[in-house]
């Protein structure tokens, strides 16, 4: 077998391996990173500043359910270097794109026992899945 016949399949395999694939995880930490475009199967990780010790919590109002599915509940973590009880931390949600289309990921930051009071903060992000 000639050297050319061996190099052609090897070269094609290398080229296909080098083709750029979208990152499997897309992380969003602020509204300025929206809108978000995902491909089917990609994960969206949403990190928002939070301080449940004040009584305020993020509540999902719209989860873009037609295009995203939750991969678990909210996870809250406090930065290890804070060293202060009641210091602010980060709330994290994980979603996976499962269908082509568009949706909105909307959350409000408010005290759950006072729904009539307007939220202190809102997060409203357009999501599109190809």
């Amino acid at each position: 077998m000639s050297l050319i016949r061996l190099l052609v399949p090897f070269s094609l395999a290398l080229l296909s391996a080098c083709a750029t694939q979208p990152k499997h995880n897309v992380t969003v930490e602020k509204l300025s990173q929206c809108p978000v475009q995902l491909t089917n199967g990609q994960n969206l990780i949403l990190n928002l500043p939070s301080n449940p010790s004040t009584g305020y919590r993020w509540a999902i109002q719209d989860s873009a359910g037609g295009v995203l599915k939750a991969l678990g509940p909210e996870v809250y973590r406090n930065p290890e270097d804070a060293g202060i009880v009641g210091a602010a931390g980060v709330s994290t949600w994980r979603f996976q794109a499962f269908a082509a289309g568009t949706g909105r990921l909307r959350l409000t930051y408010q005290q759950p026992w006072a729904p009539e009071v307007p939220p202190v903060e809102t997060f409203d992000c357009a999501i599109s899945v190809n």
Side-chain angles (χ1 to χ4, degrees):
M1 201 184 244
S2 73
L3 184 60
I4 298 289
R5 285 186 145 174
L6 288 174
L7 286 178
V8 169
F10 181 70
S11 298
L12 290 174
L14 278 178
L15 282 173
S16 66
C18 293
T20 56
Q21 296 291 324
K23 293 187 295 184
H24 192 67
N25 291 332
V26 174
T27 302
V28 174
E29 297 180 334
K30 51 191 167 199
L31 197 54
S32 63
Q33 294 174 295
C34 294
V36 175
Q37 292 189 348
L38 302 169
T39 57
N40 204 351
Q42 247 182 335
N43 294 336
L44 172 66
I45 300 169
L46 176 61
N47 294 319
L48 295 176
S50 181
N51 192 349
S53 67
T54 62
Y56 286 89
R57 298 289 311 230
W58 285 102
I60 296 177
Q61 304 300 322
D62 188 347
S63 64
V67 295
L68 295 179
K69 67 179 175 183
L71 295 178
E74 168 192 5
V75 175
Y76 174 78
R77 63 182 158 74
N78 194 2
E80 294 175 17
D81 60 351
I84 302 170
V85 175
V90 176
S91 289
T92 301
W93 296 263
R94 298 189 66 212
F95 301 92
Q96 184 175 55
F98 73 92
T102 60
R104 298 201 82 73
L105 187 55
R106 288 188 319 108
L107 294 91
T108 55
Y109 193 62
Q110 63 192 120
Q111 295 172 321
W113 61 84
E116 70 283 353
V117 177
V120 178
E121 200 172 335
T122 59
F123 181 86
D124 187 354
C125 187
I127 307 292
S128 67
V129 178
N130 297 326

